[in-house]
């Protein structure tokens, strides 16, 4: 997930698996997690399958992005539709009921390749009581159209659903657990009630207009709901 990428950045301390953390002593919360430069507003775990790269801008960034943490800003750059046809399918399984499947398909929609699409999907499930017993599903459809050689218009949407149990990670405190030894706990332990589940999701459509004004100048206008 996104939080695991924080471990590779100097001065960035993760807070939880949903993406927030601390940088230069200041909290970096959900408002400082941007997607293509725009705020995400989402509490959910960020799915990395549709991300091309993660950008870290340490220090105040209000000149570029408006108000935010003086510690850092994190920008998630999404994968864009490509003019060549490509497809990638992946899957993995593991212990404690872990499973994951991903798919990524992109290509042109017409012979001139002025219209392109990309469809990215991911599903993940886990039955480990320590890690919430989650079920996550994400879909990222996007379309890009070249209005002329200098102007491109694109649309994308994130469709996200998540369900889990016992989000508080509570486990009984024992002398062994105080030392970091959890081997005596059963892997499916959950101290919450059997019906203590939660679910959430969001649908976030967006649009972006890219205009090439000259050799060294370009204009980008984007919006997201």
């Amino acid at each position: 997930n996104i939080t695991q990428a924080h471990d590779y950045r100097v001065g960035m301390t993760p807070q939880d698996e949903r993406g927030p953390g601390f940088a230069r002593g200041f909290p970096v919360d959900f408002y400082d997690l941007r997607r293509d430069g725009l705020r995400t507003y989402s509490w959910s775990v960020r799915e990395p399958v549709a991300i091309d790269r993660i950008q870290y801008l340490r220090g105040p960034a209000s000149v570029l992005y408006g108000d935010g943490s003086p510690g850092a800003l994190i920008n998630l750059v999404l994968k864009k539709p490509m003019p060549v046809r490509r497809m990638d399918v992946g899957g993995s399984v593991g212990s404690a009921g872990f499973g994951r499947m991903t798919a990524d398909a992109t290509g042109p929609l017409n012979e001139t390749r002025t219209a392109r699409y990309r469809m990215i999907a991911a599903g993940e499930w886990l039955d480990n009581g320590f890690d919430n017993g989650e079920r996550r599903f994400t879909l990222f459809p996007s379309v890009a159209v070249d209005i002329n050689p200098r102007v491109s218009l694109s649309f994308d949407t994130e469709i996200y659903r998540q369900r889990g149990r016992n989000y508080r990670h509570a486990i009984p405190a024992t002398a062994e657990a105080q030392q970091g030894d959890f081997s005596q706990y059963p892997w499916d332990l959950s101290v919450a009630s059997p019906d203590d589940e939660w679910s959430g999701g969001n649908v976030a459509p967006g649009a972006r207009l890219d205009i090439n004004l000259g050799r060294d100048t370009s204009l980008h206008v984007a919006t997201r709901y």
Side-chain angles (χ1 to χ4, degrees):
N1 54 44
I2 305 304
T3 302
Q4 292 169 327
H6 299 348
D7 293 330
Y8 295 91
R9 305 312 307 159
V10 175
M12 187 73 193
T13 303
Q15 180 178 349
D16 60 51
E17 68 272 19
R18 294 173 295 171
F22 297 91
R24 298 158 55 100
F26 295 96
V28 178
D29 60 18
F30 297 108
Y31 296 113
D32 304 306
L33 286 173
R34 309 297 174 100
R35 189 163 64 245
D36 281 344
L38 300 178
R39 285 179 171 175
T40 59
Y41 288 104
S42 180
W43 53 265
S44 55
V45 176
R46 309 316 306 167
E47 171 57 59
V49 68
I51 296 175
D52 180 66
R53 62 189 182 275
I54 304 176
Q55 297 174 329
Y56 291 84
L57 180 59
R58 286 181 290 178
S62 60
V63 173
L64 297 175
Y65 294 98
D67 62 330
S69 170
L73 181 143
I74 302 171
N75 186 36
L76 311 177
V77 181
L78 296 179
K79 296 176 181 177
K80 304 300 188 295
M82 302 178 65
V84 293
R85 200 172 303 280
R86 292 183 179 178
M87 177 172 289
D88 180 73
V89 178
S92 57
V93 295
S95 59
F98 171 78
R100 178 177 173 82
M101 295 188 67
T102 61
D104 182 358
T106 185
L109 290 172
N110 56 5
E111 294 183 359
T112 59
R113 304 190 180 189
T114 56
R116 304 168 297 279
Y117 78 94
R118 191 154 196 165
M119 179 67 72
I120 304 173
E124 184 172 313
W125 55 95
L126 181 68
D127 292 326
N128 185 338
F130 292 131
D131 293 326
N132 309 337
E134 290 183 338
R135 303 287 187 273
R136 300 206 309 265
F137 175 76
T138 308
L139 189 66
F140 287 92
S142 59
V143 176
V145 179
D146 294 333
I147 300 176
N148 59 51
R150 289 175 172 246
V151 181
S152 177
L153 180 63
S154 59
F155 302 91
D156 68 84
T157 302
E158 178 192 33
I159 304 171
Y160 184 93
R161 292 296 300 171
Q162 182 176 4
R163 180 174 61 86
R165 74 169 190 267
N166 191 19
Y167 188 73
R168 299 186 181 277
H169 301 276
I171 59 172
T174 64
E176 292 77 10
Q178 299 279 342
Q179 301 298 321
D181 179 13
F182 303 100
S183 60
Q184 301 303 313
Y185 295 129
W187 66 268
D188 58 350
L189 172 68
S190 176
V191 297
S193 62
D195 59 349
D196 185 12
E197 292 189 351
W198 56 272
S199 63
N202 63 289
V203 177
R208 180 184 175 96
L209 180 67
D210 300 298
I211 305 175
N212 184 11
L213 299 177
R215 268 184 89 178
D216 304 315
T217 308
S218 60
L219 174 65
H220 309 278
V221 181
T223 182
R224 185 173 300 280
Y225 175 74

